[in-house]
Each structure stands twice: as C-alpha cells, then as structure tokens.
Amino acid sequence: MAQEEDGSLSAVRARVGASHGITDLAHKLHFYDRWAPDYDQDVATLQYRAPRLAVDCLIQALPGPPHATLILDVACGTGLVAAELQARGFLQLHGVDGSPGMLEQARARGLYQRLSLCTLGQEPLPSPEGGLVCLTTRTNPSNLQYKEELEASLDSLEQARKWDRLVAWPVDQWELATSKLEEVPGTSDSDGFISGIVYLYRKARGGQVEGVMPSAQPLTGL
C-alpha cells in the first residue's frame, strides 16, 4: 500500500510539475481542460491547502456575517474554494475561470450563483459592484516572476481605485512540492511544502475590473 501511495504521489508531482513549466496561455488552459476531471484527486494527493487557507483569511478579515457577503472567486477552478466557503456559511458566490473544463466541474457542484468564462488579463473581469475578491497563487521559485507581474497589476488596480486591498497573507505550507528545488527552506526532503499567498480585495463600486494578469492555475492554487 505504501508503495502504491508513493507511486501515486510521484505521478501527481510529475504531472503538476509539468504544468508549472507551461508558459503559453493557450497551452496552459488546454492543459487545465484535460486535467479538470482528475484535478481534485491530484491536489488532494499534494495536500493542497489553499481553499481552507483562503477561507480562513476571509473569516478573519470579514466584519459582518458571511451569508450577507458576496464573494468573487477568481480563477475558481473546480470549485474547491466554494465548497469550503459554503461549509462556513458563505452563500453568495460568483466564480470566474479561463478553462471551460474547470468551469464544467465547478458548475456540477451547484454552489455558485454565477459562473463566467474569463481569461484574466484578456478581458474585463465580470462581477457585480462591491463585494470581496479572493485570489491565491504560489510563491515557490518557479512562480516568482508571475507573482511579481500579478502584484504589479494588483497595485495598478489599487492606484486606479478599482480595488482596495484588505489582506495579503503569505503561507509557508501551501501544498507538497513537486521537487526539492521548490520546497520551503527548513522543511524535510520527504514532505517539504511550497509556499503561497492569499490576496483579499474589496471591489470598488462602479465599472468592471480590468488588467489582472493571467495566472498559473490560472490563479487559485497550482
């Protein structure tokens, strides 16, 4: 059994590690379309913690009751964050993602009031006025250039007074690393984790949001 588990982990690490190396957006989205049916199982193998961590961040930052708060889940993937949100009392959930395959999986959960196909950075981000915007991304070495580009875009949205930053929360144990080079320093070779970050914004009232760069998942998680 242990050998089977090790083999499964190795296969998932190889698959996810390969996705990290895709830089062309069209190829990236095609990869996620094909990966969508197996995505939840694979990230569970990697002990993917971003959905729980993102909702932890929301709970701590939110002054009012969760059921009254509209959440825009950016790059919602298969809806893992929505499942965690609903379990903790959030009921008004909108999601966007650039992968039709991922959106199909998210739609099957029946948790979002609205789902939209949106390639981030290529078109305005559809969302109602107000509400909170949740984004996550990796901060391991292979994703640092993207993280810098993302933060430059987020800064421009703040300067344009379209989004107000509430939280930028770095996390050490995001998911299991796909290679030793990606591990957070100080963790063991056998179970080392990569790091990540949760961003939480309040969307300003009036107009659609533009200018968010495309991401590695695209945004939530891998």
Side-chain angles (χ1 to χ4, degrees), residues 126-204:
S127 68
E129 296 184 354
L132 300 183
V133 184
C134 184
L135 311 91
T136 70
T137 196
R138 298 174 286 112
T139 56
N140 54 315
S142 66
N143 202 47
L144 290 181
Q145 180 177 349
Y146 166 73
K147 176 178 176 287
E148 291 177 2
E149 294 170 352
L150 171 65
E151 291 188 338
S153 294
L154 295 175
D155 287 345
S156 70
L157 290 170
E158 284 190 89
Q159 292 170 10
R161 298 184 178 179
K162 293 182 177 180
W163 288 8
D164 297 321
R165 178 180 291 194
L166 302 179
V167 176
W169 181 31
V171 178
D172 284 343
Q173 294 193 336
W174 194 255
E175 69 186 12
L176 289 175
T178 58
S179 73
K180 292 181 180 180
L181 294 176
E182 298 288 340
E183 293 176 6
V184 177
T187 58
S188 69
D189 290 342
S190 61
D191 62 355
F193 283 78
I194 66 169
S195 55
I197 189 166
V198 179
Y199 302 99
L200 181 61
Y201 286 81
R202 187 179 304 279
K203 185 179 179 295

Side-chain angles (χ1 to χ4, degrees), residues 43-60:
V43 297
T45 299
L46 289 181
Q47 301 179 37
Y48 181 52
R49 300 174 178 181
R52 176 179 58 80
L53 294 168
V55 180
D56 285 347
C57 181
L58 279 165
I59 292 289
Q60 293 177 29

Side-chain angles (χ1 to χ4, degrees), residues 8-9 11-13 15-16 31 35 37-48 175 222:
S8 174
L9 178 57
V12 170
R13 277 177 159 159
R15 183 158 50 248
V16 176
F31 177 90
W35 190 18
D38 299 318
Y39 178 84
D40 289 5
Q41 179 179 334
D42 283 358
V43 297
T45 299
L46 289 181
Q47 301 179 37
Y48 181 52
E175 69 186 12
L222 302 176

